[in-house]
Amino acid sequence: MNQNLSQQQFPFGLKAKHKDKQSSVWGDKKLGGYAGLTHTADKINKYIPTSKIYVEPFAGLGRTVQLRHDKIVVNDLSDYAVDYLKNNYGEQVVVTQEDFISCIKRWDSKDTFFLIDPPWRYTLYNLNDRAFCDRKPIQYYSELLSMVSDLLGDWMICSAKDEHEIKKCLTKSEWNCQVVQSDKKVIFGKYATTLLCSNLFSTER
């Protein structure tokens, strides 16, 4: 199996062509679904240390996972995502299906690294019945920021660069941020960008 799932074919079928001749990573849906970190996964992985325990509480389709960690845990509440992860990773990872807070608390340790990628835009998830989103993005991010200071493990939270639906709560937090960008223009003629917020970027711990 490929070491990085992000390099595999999109699970909703090949990139769909729309009337405007643009391609979409959401299959036959122009918007909505698991676009995730597909286009910036390689950039993000440069910041991720090889860990004894690697955990994604919002794994989606696991496009950032690399099989270089001792133990890998991928969690999601979507039935579709969980089935996809099990079918594509098999026994190489631990696949769980629980609330992100329970997942984080269960696996937190000094040997754990968390890659945390909550829903960025509520409307995109609302357009796809395969994805799971039970609250507004600002609620996810607020809950995460309230708990990361107490974690034993290291962590990285991902977001849209503009933090459109989370009121710039990451860039306004005590933690430092970095922006990564795809090498090519891959989303309607634009570069894909991801905002990363992590205790690894900060001197405050």
Side-chain angles (χ1 to χ4, degrees):
M1 188 187 72
N2 197 308
Q3 292 291 300
N4 190 335
L5 195 59
S6 67
Q7 298 171 359
Q8 294 185 4
Q9 177 176 311
F10 293 110
F12 295 167
L14 298 175
K15 295 182 182 179
K17 292 290 185 179
H18 300 283
K19 293 180 181 179
D20 58 5
K21 306 300 181 183
Q22 297 284 4
S23 295
S24 171
V25 297
W26 296 289
D28 58 359
K29 296 175 182 288
K30 185 170 182 179
L31 291 175
Y34 285 115
L37 304 175
T38 302
H39 302 299
T40 54
D42 58 334
K43 307 292 185 183
I44 294 169
N45 264 297
K46 292 179 180 179
Y47 291 103
I48 297 176
T50 299
S51 308
K52 289 186 178 180
I53 307 174
Y54 172 90
V55 181
E56 289 198 22
F58 300 88
L61 303 181
R63 292 187 173 124
T64 312
V65 174
Q66 289 188 344
L67 302 178
R68 58 186 171 90
H69 310 280
D70 292 347
K71 187 183 191 73
I72 298 171
V73 179
V74 287
N75 176 78
D76 204 281
L77 278 173
S78 159
D79 292 336
Y80 178 83
V82 167
D83 287 344
Y84 181 84
L85 292 166
K86 287 179 178 179
N87 290 334
N88 282 272
Y89 279 121
E91 297 180 355
Q92 298 177 86
V93 305
V94 176
V95 181
T96 61
Q97 189 171 18
E98 61 183 338
D99 182 73
F100 70 98
I101 293 178
S102 298
C103 176
I104 291 171
K105 289 181 177 180
R106 181 187 304 275
W107 294 102
D108 186 32
S109 77
K110 62 181 179 59
D111 296 319
T112 304
F113 178 84
F114 294 99
L115 181 71
I116 309 171
D117 183 34
W120 295 1
R121 286 181 166 81
Y122 181 78
T123 51
L124 298 189
Y125 276 74
N126 196 40
L127 288 170
N128 192 328
D129 57 9
R130 291 175 172 174
F132 182 90
C133 181
D134 65 349
R135 65 201 82 176
K136 297 296 179 67
I138 186 62
Q139 294 175 278
Y140 283 117
Y141 284 88
S142 295
E143 290 180 71
L144 287 165
L145 287 173
S146 71
M147 69 184 299
V148 291
S149 295
D150 297 324
L151 293 182
L152 298 173
D154 292 319
W155 52 269
M156 182 181 295
I157 302 174
C158 305
S159 168
K161 180 183 176 182
D162 61 9
E163 300 178 89
H164 178 70
E165 293 188 22
I166 62 172
K167 301 179 181 179
K168 299 191 180 297
C169 66
L170 296 182
T171 51
K172 290 179 179 179
S173 74
E174 64 182 289
W175 309 102
N176 288 338
C177 297
Q178 303 273 359
V179 174
V180 293
Q181 177 177 284
S182 62
D183 292 323
K184 298 179 180 179
K185 295 181 179 180
V186 291
I187 299 180
F188 304 125
K190 297 181 179 180
Y191 294 101
T193 56
T194 303
L195 177 71
L196 308 176
C197 178
S198 176
N199 67 314
L200 297 178
F201 302 153
S202 177
T203 57
E204 299 184 50
R205 178 70 167 131

Short mmCIF file of all heavy atoms in Angstrom, two decimals, residues 1-11 34-35 37-39 41-42 45 54 56 59-68 72 74 80-90 92-93 95:
data_model
loop_
_atom_site.label_atom_id
_atom_site.label_comp_id
_atom_site.label_asym_id
_atom_site.label_seq_id
_atom_site.Cartn_x
_atom_site.Cartn_y
_atom_site.Cartn_z
N MET A 1 0.84 -1.20 0.00
CA MET A 1 0.00 0.00 0.00
C MET A 1 0.86 1.24 0.00
O MET A 1 1.93 1.27 0.59
CB MET A 1 -0.91 0.00 1.23
CG MET A 1 -1.93 1.13 1.19
SD MET A 1 -2.86 1.24 2.75
CE MET A 1 -1.58 1.92 3.79
N ASN A 2 0.39 2.26 -0.65
CA ASN A 2 1.12 3.52 -0.68
C ASN A 2 1.35 4.04 0.72
O ASN A 2 0.49 3.97 1.58
CB ASN A 2 0.28 4.54 -1.47
CG ASN A 2 1.11 5.73 -1.91
OD1 ASN A 2 1.78 6.34 -1.10
ND2 ASN A 2 1.03 6.01 -3.19
N GLN A 3 2.53 4.59 0.97
CA GLN A 3 2.87 5.10 2.29
C GLN A 3 2.09 6.36 2.66
O GLN A 3 2.02 6.73 3.81
CB GLN A 3 4.39 5.40 2.36
CG GLN A 3 5.23 4.15 2.29
CD GLN A 3 5.10 3.30 3.53
OE1 GLN A 3 5.39 3.73 4.63
NE2 GLN A 3 4.61 2.09 3.37
N ASN A 4 1.54 7.03 1.69
CA ASN A 4 0.78 8.24 1.98
C ASN A 4 -0.52 8.19 1.21
O ASN A 4 -0.55 8.23 0.00
CB ASN A 4 1.57 9.48 1.57
CG ASN A 4 0.93 10.76 2.07
OD1 ASN A 4 -0.26 10.81 2.30
ND2 ASN A 4 1.74 11.78 2.25
N LEU A 5 -1.63 8.05 1.92
CA LEU A 5 -2.94 7.87 1.29
C LEU A 5 -3.32 9.05 0.42
O LEU A 5 -4.11 8.92 -0.49
CB LEU A 5 -4.00 7.65 2.38
CG LEU A 5 -5.34 7.10 1.93
CD1 LEU A 5 -5.15 5.75 1.27
CD2 LEU A 5 -6.28 6.97 3.12
N SER A 6 -2.73 10.23 0.68
CA SER A 6 -3.08 11.41 -0.09
C SER A 6 -2.69 11.27 -1.55
O SER A 6 -3.16 12.00 -2.41
CB SER A 6 -2.41 12.65 0.50
OG SER A 6 -1.01 12.58 0.33
N GLN A 7 -1.81 10.33 -1.85
CA GLN A 7 -1.36 10.15 -3.22
C GLN A 7 -2.26 9.18 -4.00
O GLN A 7 -2.06 8.96 -5.18
CB GLN A 7 0.08 9.62 -3.22
CG GLN A 7 1.05 10.60 -2.58
CD GLN A 7 2.43 10.01 -2.38
OE1 GLN A 7 2.65 8.84 -2.71
NE2 GLN A 7 3.34 10.79 -1.87
N GLN A 8 -3.24 8.60 -3.32
CA GLN A 8 -4.11 7.66 -4.00
C GLN A 8 -5.23 8.38 -4.73
O GLN A 8 -5.47 9.56 -4.56
CB GLN A 8 -4.71 6.69 -2.98
CG GLN A 8 -3.67 5.78 -2.34
CD GLN A 8 -4.31 4.76 -1.44
OE1 GLN A 8 -5.53 4.69 -1.36
NE2 GLN A 8 -3.50 3.95 -0.79
N GLN A 9 -5.95 7.61 -5.52
CA GLN A 9 -7.09 8.14 -6.26
C GLN A 9 -8.17 8.63 -5.31
O GLN A 9 -8.39 8.06 -4.26
CB GLN A 9 -7.65 7.02 -7.13
CG GLN A 9 -8.89 7.40 -7.93
CD GLN A 9 -9.30 6.26 -8.83
OE1 GLN A 9 -8.49 5.70 -9.53
NE2 GLN A 9 -10.57 5.90 -8.79
N PHE A 10 -8.85 9.70 -5.67
CA PHE A 10 -9.91 10.23 -4.81
C PHE A 10 -11.03 9.20 -4.70
O PHE A 10 -11.49 8.64 -5.69
CB PHE A 10 -10.46 11.54 -5.39
CG PHE A 10 -9.46 12.65 -5.34
CD1 PHE A 10 -8.89 13.14 -6.50
CD2 PHE A 10 -9.07 13.18 -4.13
CE1 PHE A 10 -7.96 14.15 -6.45
CE2 PHE A 10 -8.14 14.20 -4.07
CZ PHE A 10 -7.58 14.69 -5.24
N PRO A 11 -11.51 8.95 -3.48
CA PRO A 11 -12.45 7.85 -3.26
C PRO A 11 -13.84 8.07 -3.82
O PRO A 11 -14.59 7.14 -3.96
CB PRO A 11 -12.51 7.76 -1.72
CG PRO A 11 -12.15 9.13 -1.25
CD PRO A 11 -11.14 9.62 -2.25
N TYR A 34 -14.93 15.60 1.46
CA TYR A 34 -13.63 15.48 2.09
C TYR A 34 -12.52 15.99 1.18
O TYR A 34 -11.75 15.21 0.64
CB TYR A 34 -13.37 14.02 2.45
CG TYR A 34 -14.15 13.55 3.65
CD1 TYR A 34 -15.11 12.57 3.54
CD2 TYR A 34 -13.91 14.09 4.90
CE1 TYR A 34 -15.81 12.12 4.64
CE2 TYR A 34 -14.61 13.66 6.01
CZ TYR A 34 -15.55 12.67 5.88
OH TYR A 34 -16.24 12.24 6.98
N ALA A 35 -12.43 17.28 0.99
CA ALA A 35 -11.27 17.81 0.26
C ALA A 35 -10.07 17.66 1.16
O ALA A 35 -8.99 17.27 0.75
CB ALA A 35 -11.49 19.26 -0.09
N LEU A 37 -6.86 17.72 3.50
CA LEU A 37 -5.52 18.25 3.37
C LEU A 37 -4.80 17.64 2.17
O LEU A 37 -3.57 17.62 2.12
CB LEU A 37 -4.74 17.94 4.66
CG LEU A 37 -5.40 18.46 5.94
CD1 LEU A 37 -4.60 18.00 7.16
CD2 LEU A 37 -5.53 19.97 5.94
N THR A 38 -5.56 17.19 1.21
CA THR A 38 -5.00 16.49 0.05
C THR A 38 -3.81 17.20 -0.56
O THR A 38 -2.76 16.61 -0.78
CB THR A 38 -6.09 16.32 -1.03
OG1 THR A 38 -7.18 15.61 -0.48
CG2 THR A 38 -5.54 15.57 -2.24
N HIS A 39 -3.98 18.48 -0.86
CA HIS A 39 -2.97 19.20 -1.64
C HIS A 39 -1.82 19.76 -0.83
O HIS A 39 -0.81 20.18 -1.39
CB HIS A 39 -3.65 20.33 -2.42
CG HIS A 39 -4.73 19.85 -3.33
ND1 HIS A 39 -4.50 18.98 -4.37
CD2 HIS A 39 -6.07 20.10 -3.35
CE1 HIS A 39 -5.64 18.72 -4.99
NE2 HIS A 39 -6.60 19.38 -4.39
N ALA A 41 -0.73 17.99 2.11
CA ALA A 41 -0.31 16.92 3.02
C ALA A 41 1.21 16.79 3.09
O ALA A 41 1.79 16.61 4.17
CB ALA A 41 -0.94 15.59 2.61
N ASP A 42 1.88 16.86 1.94
CA ASP A 42 3.33 16.70 1.94
C ASP A 42 4.02 17.84 2.68
O ASP A 42 5.02 17.64 3.37
CB ASP A 42 3.86 16.59 0.51
CG ASP A 42 3.50 17.79 -0.36
OD1 ASP A 42 2.48 18.45 -0.07
OD2 ASP A 42 4.23 18.07 -1.32
N ASN A 45 3.44 17.33 6.51
CA ASN A 45 4.22 16.23 7.08
C ASN A 45 5.66 16.63 7.40
O ASN A 45 6.31 16.00 8.25
CB ASN A 45 4.20 15.02 6.15
CG ASN A 45 3.13 14.02 6.56
OD1 ASN A 45 3.20 13.47 7.64
ND2 ASN A 45 2.14 13.82 5.70
N TYR A 54 0.79 8.30 16.88
CA TYR A 54 0.30 9.37 16.00
C TYR A 54 -1.22 9.24 15.94
O TYR A 54 -1.75 8.17 15.65
CB TYR A 54 0.90 9.22 14.61
CG TYR A 54 0.31 10.14 13.57
CD1 TYR A 54 0.85 11.39 13.34
CD2 TYR A 54 -0.77 9.73 12.78
CE1 TYR A 54 0.32 12.23 12.37
CE2 TYR A 54 -1.30 10.56 11.81
CZ TYR A 54 -0.76 11.80 11.61
OH TYR A 54 -1.29 12.64 10.65
N GLU A 56 -5.04 11.06 14.73
CA GLU A 56 -5.87 12.04 14.02
C GLU A 56 -7.30 11.92 14.55
O GLU A 56 -8.02 10.99 14.17
CB GLU A 56 -5.84 11.82 12.52
CG GLU A 56 -4.51 12.18 11.87
CD GLU A 56 -4.63 12.36 10.36
OE1 GLU A 56 -5.75 12.63 9.88
OE2 GLU A 56 -3.60 12.23 9.67
N ALA A 59 -10.01 12.22 11.33
CA ALA A 59 -9.16 11.64 10.28
C ALA A 59 -9.72 11.82 8.87
O ALA A 59 -8.97 11.88 7.90
CB ALA A 59 -8.93 10.17 10.54
N GLY A 60 -11.05 11.90 8.75
CA GLY A 60 -11.61 11.95 7.39
C GLY A 60 -11.15 10.72 6.63
O GLY A 60 -11.32 9.59 7.08
N LEU A 61 -10.51 10.93 5.48
CA LEU A 61 -10.02 9.82 4.68
C LEU A 61 -8.53 9.60 4.84
O LEU A 61 -7.91 8.92 4.04
CB LEU A 61 -10.39 10.06 3.20
CG LEU A 61 -11.88 10.26 2.96
CD1 LEU A 61 -12.17 10.46 1.48
CD2 LEU A 61 -12.71 9.11 3.50
N GLY A 62 -7.96 10.19 5.86
CA GLY A 62 -6.57 9.89 6.23
C GLY A 62 -5.53 10.31 5.23
O GLY A 62 -4.51 9.65 5.06
N ARG A 63 -5.72 11.45 4.60
CA ARG A 63 -4.81 11.83 3.51
C ARG A 63 -3.45 12.35 3.99
O ARG A 63 -2.55 12.55 3.18
CB ARG A 63 -5.49 12.87 2.63
CG ARG A 63 -6.67 12.26 1.86
CD ARG A 63 -7.22 13.25 0.86
NE ARG A 63 -8.22 12.62 0.03
CZ ARG A 63 -9.46 13.06 -0.09
NH1 ARG A 63 -9.85 14.10 0.60
NH2 ARG A 63 -10.31 12.46 -0.88
N THR A 64 -3.31 12.59 5.27
CA THR A 64 -2.02 13.06 5.77
C THR A 64 -1.23 11.95 6.45
O THR A 64 -0.05 12.11 6.74
CB THR A 64 -2.23 14.22 6.78
OG1 THR A 64 -3.14 15.16 6.20
CG2 THR A 64 -0.94 14.95 7.06
N VAL A 65 -1.86 10.81 6.67
CA VAL A 65 -1.22 9.71 7.39
C VAL A 65 -0.04 9.16 6.61
O VAL A 65 -0.15 8.86 5.42
CB VAL A 65 -2.22 8.58 7.67
CG1 VAL A 65 -1.51 7.38 8.29
CG2 VAL A 65 -3.34 9.07 8.58
N GLN A 66 1.08 9.02 7.29
CA GLN A 66 2.23 8.31 6.75
C GLN A 66 2.58 7.17 7.71
O GLN A 66 2.55 7.34 8.93
CB GLN A 66 3.43 9.24 6.58
CG GLN A 66 3.28 10.23 5.46
CD GLN A 66 4.56 11.02 5.19
OE1 GLN A 66 5.46 11.05 6.02
NE2 GLN A 66 4.62 11.66 4.04
N LEU A 67 2.92 6.04 7.15
CA LEU A 67 3.15 4.85 7.97
C LEU A 67 4.59 4.82 8.48
O LEU A 67 5.32 3.84 8.29
CB LEU A 67 2.83 3.60 7.15
CG LEU A 67 1.40 3.55 6.60
CD1 LEU A 67 1.19 2.30 5.77
CD2 LEU A 67 0.39 3.63 7.73
N ARG A 68 4.99 5.88 9.18
CA ARG A 68 6.35 5.97 9.71
C ARG A 68 6.35 6.07 11.24
O ARG A 68 7.41 6.22 11.84
CB ARG A 68 7.07 7.17 9.11
CG ARG A 68 6.38 8.52 9.34
CD ARG A 68 7.10 9.62 8.59
NE ARG A 68 6.39 10.88 8.58
CZ ARG A 68 6.51 11.84 9.49
NH1 ARG A 68 7.33 11.65 10.51
NH2 ARG A 68 5.84 12.97 9.40
N ILE A 72 -0.41 4.12 14.93
CA ILE A 72 -1.21 5.14 14.25
C ILE A 72 -2.68 4.92 14.60
O ILE A 72 -3.21 3.80 14.45
CB ILE A 72 -1.03 5.07 12.73
CG1 ILE A 72 0.44 5.35 12.36
CG2 ILE A 72 -1.94 6.06 12.02
CD1 ILE A 72 0.76 5.08 10.91
N VAL A 74 -6.49 6.50 13.77
CA VAL A 74 -7.30 7.40 12.96
C VAL A 74 -8.74 7.29 13.43
O VAL A 74 -9.29 6.19 13.53
CB VAL A 74 -7.17 7.11 11.46
CG1 VAL A 74 -5.83 7.57 10.93
CG2 VAL A 74 -7.37 5.63 11.15
N TYR A 80 -18.92 6.42 6.67
CA TYR A 80 -18.22 6.29 5.39
C TYR A 80 -16.72 6.37 5.57
O TYR A 80 -15.96 5.56 5.04
CB TYR A 80 -18.68 7.37 4.41
CG TYR A 80 -17.95 7.31 3.10
CD1 TYR A 80 -18.35 6.43 2.10
CD2 TYR A 80 -16.82 8.10 2.86
CE1 TYR A 80 -17.67 6.33 0.91
CE2 TYR A 80 -16.13 8.01 1.67
CZ TYR A 80 -16.55 7.12 0.69
OH TYR A 80 -15.86 7.02 -0.47
N ALA A 81 -16.25 7.37 6.34
CA ALA A 81 -14.82 7.55 6.56
C ALA A 81 -14.23 6.35 7.28
O ALA A 81 -13.13 5.86 6.92
CB ALA A 81 -14.57 8.83 7.35
N VAL A 82 -14.91 5.86 8.29
CA VAL A 82 -14.41 4.72 9.06
C VAL A 82 -14.27 3.49 8.18
O VAL A 82 -13.26 2.78 8.21
CB VAL A 82 -15.32 4.44 10.27
CG1 VAL A 82 -15.00 3.08 10.91
CG2 VAL A 82 -15.17 5.55 11.31
N ASP A 83 -15.28 3.21 7.35
CA ASP A 83 -15.20 2.08 6.43
C ASP A 83 -14.05 2.25 5.45
O ASP A 83 -13.32 1.30 5.15
CB ASP A 83 -16.52 1.93 5.66
CG ASP A 83 -17.64 1.39 6.52
OD1 ASP A 83 -17.35 0.85 7.61
OD2 ASP A 83 -18.82 1.54 6.12
N TYR A 84 -13.88 3.48 4.96
CA TYR A 84 -12.81 3.75 4.00
C TYR A 84 -11.45 3.53 4.63
O TYR A 84 -10.55 2.91 4.04
CB TYR A 84 -12.93 5.20 3.49
CG TYR A 84 -11.88 5.56 2.48
CD1 TYR A 84 -12.06 5.26 1.14
CD2 TYR A 84 -10.70 6.20 2.86
CE1 TYR A 84 -11.10 5.59 0.20
CE2 TYR A 84 -9.74 6.53 1.92
CZ TYR A 84 -9.94 6.23 0.60
OH TYR A 84 -8.97 6.54 -0.32
N LEU A 85 -11.26 4.02 5.85
CA LEU A 85 -9.98 3.86 6.55
C LEU A 85 -9.68 2.40 6.80
O LEU A 85 -8.55 1.93 6.62
CB LEU A 85 -10.01 4.65 7.86
CG LEU A 85 -10.05 6.17 7.72
CD1 LEU A 85 -10.43 6.82 9.05
CD2 LEU A 85 -8.73 6.72 7.22
N LYS A 86 -10.68 1.65 7.24
CA LYS A 86 -10.48 0.22 7.50
C LYS A 86 -10.12 -0.52 6.22
O LYS A 86 -9.24 -1.39 6.21
CB LYS A 86 -11.74 -0.38 8.12
CG LYS A 86 -11.97 0.04 9.56
CD LYS A 86 -13.24 -0.58 10.11
CE LYS A 86 -13.45 -0.22 11.58
NZ LYS A 86 -14.71 -0.79 12.12
N ASN A 87 -10.79 -0.20 5.13
CA ASN A 87 -10.55 -0.89 3.86
C ASN A 87 -9.20 -0.54 3.26
O ASN A 87 -8.58 -1.36 2.57
CB ASN A 87 -11.65 -0.56 2.86
CG ASN A 87 -12.99 -1.18 3.25
OD1 ASN A 87 -13.03 -2.19 3.94
ND2 ASN A 87 -14.08 -0.56 2.82
N ASN A 88 -8.72 0.68 3.49
CA ASN A 88 -7.47 1.12 2.88
C ASN A 88 -6.24 0.92 3.75
O ASN A 88 -5.12 0.83 3.22
CB ASN A 88 -7.58 2.59 2.47
CG ASN A 88 -8.37 2.77 1.20
OD1 ASN A 88 -7.83 2.73 0.10
ND2 ASN A 88 -9.68 2.95 1.33
N TYR A 89 -6.43 0.86 5.05
CA TYR A 89 -5.28 0.68 5.94
C TYR A 89 -5.23 -0.69 6.59
O TYR A 89 -4.18 -1.13 7.03
CB TYR A 89 -5.30 1.75 7.03
CG TYR A 89 -4.74 3.07 6.57
CD1 TYR A 89 -5.52 4.23 6.62
CD2 TYR A 89 -3.45 3.17 6.08
CE1 TYR A 89 -5.01 5.45 6.21
CE2 TYR A 89 -2.93 4.38 5.67
CZ TYR A 89 -3.70 5.52 5.73
OH TYR A 89 -3.20 6.70 5.31
N GLY A 90 -6.36 -1.34 6.71
CA GLY A 90 -6.39 -2.67 7.31
C GLY A 90 -5.83 -2.68 8.72
O GLY A 90 -6.17 -1.85 9.55
N GLN A 92 -2.85 -2.01 9.65
CA GLN A 92 -1.69 -1.14 9.83
C GLN A 92 -1.98 0.04 10.75
O GLN A 92 -1.05 0.69 11.23
CB GLN A 92 -1.19 -0.63 8.48
CG GLN A 92 -0.72 -1.77 7.57
CD GLN A 92 -0.32 -1.25 6.21
OE1 GLN A 92 0.82 -0.85 6.01
NE2 GLN A 92 -1.25 -1.26 5.28
N VAL A 93 -3.26 0.33 10.96
CA VAL A 93 -3.63 1.42 11.86
C VAL A 93 -4.78 0.97 12.76
O VAL A 93 -5.47 0.00 12.48
CB VAL A 93 -4.07 2.68 11.08
CG1 VAL A 93 -3.01 3.14 10.10
CG2 VAL A 93 -5.41 2.45 10.37
N VAL A 95 -8.35 2.02 13.86
CA VAL A 95 -9.45 2.87 13.42
C VAL A 95 -10.51 2.92 14.52
O VAL A 95 -10.99 1.87 14.96
CB VAL A 95 -10.08 2.35 12.11
CG1 VAL A 95 -11.22 3.27 11.67
CG2 VAL A 95 -9.02 2.26 11.01
#
